[in-house]
Amino acid sequence: PFSLYAGELFQTAASLAEQVTRTRESWKTEFNITHVIGVHVSSAFYTAGTSDGHLIPQDGMFKNYFWPFLQSITLDLECERVGIFVAADTAKVRNEATELIRSSNDVVMLPSPISNIPNDTGIGPMRNKQEVLDAATELFLLQTSDTIVVKRVGRFDSTFSAVAVALSLCESR
């Protein structure tokens, strides 16, 4: 039922909508993209431990859990120029995704427009205004994706993922 009302509950501010539109247009012109796959990775659910109050993501998390699904999806999109946008809560996961995607000849890594890559694995994280705006920007970029990929086994592990899917305008999610 949440997805029925999500569009009314979460409305993009004009400045964020402009940034999302500019980003989507730059992806199209710079990379000649015809299909965007948006991926949200919450590394808090793939931890190898904790250090200084932060969760430590597992090595190979993106490669082991997300990359096989992305490769499968792209097989169905042979006639498309596919770009993959990754919203993740740590630079480690984003770097791993970037290496894998850039090593593939089938897809293009789409850069995030946010300036500071989050490290949102702290227990009880405190966020400043810019971090909240950055998260909202990526949420609305996920919303506008043609396909969205998140981890869900029976239930969503992440509320961010759940909201992204609820807001999603795509048929493939």
Side-chain angles (χ1 to χ4, degrees), residues 84-135:
I84 299 176
F85 165 66
V86 177
D89 55 6
T90 63
K92 178 179 180 177
V93 172
R94 288 175 190 248
N95 292 338
E96 179 186 346
T98 299
E99 286 180 31
L100 283 167
I101 294 167
R102 286 192 177 151
S103 70
S104 172
N105 294 325
D106 302 323
V107 295
V108 173
M109 180 68 186
L110 300 174
S112 176
I114 68 172
S115 54
N116 294 317
I117 301 303
N119 183 8
D120 201 14
T121 58
I123 315 263
M126 299 297 290
R127 296 174 185 96
N128 63 38
K129 180 181 176 182
Q130 188 58 52
E131 290 168 332
V132 172
L133 289 171
D134 288 348

Side-chain angles (χ1 to χ4, degrees), residues 28-85:
K28 281 183 185 177
T29 57
E30 188 175 339
F31 302 105
N32 197 28
I33 298 302
T34 60
H35 191 99
V36 174
I37 300 174
V39 183
H40 178 246
V41 181
S42 179
S43 60
F45 298 97
Y46 305 92
T47 59
T50 59
S51 175
D52 296 326
H54 287 273
L55 301 169
I56 302 168
Q58 292 176 7
D59 289 333
M61 176 181 49
F62 190 86
K63 179 182 180 180
N64 295 332
Y65 297 103
F66 290 87
W67 189 235
F69 289 108
L70 293 169
Q71 289 176 312
S72 174
I73 291 167
T74 58
L75 289 176
D76 293 334
L77 299 170
E78 286 182 307
C79 297
E80 301 274 353
R81 174 80 169 151
V82 178
I84 299 176
F85 165 66

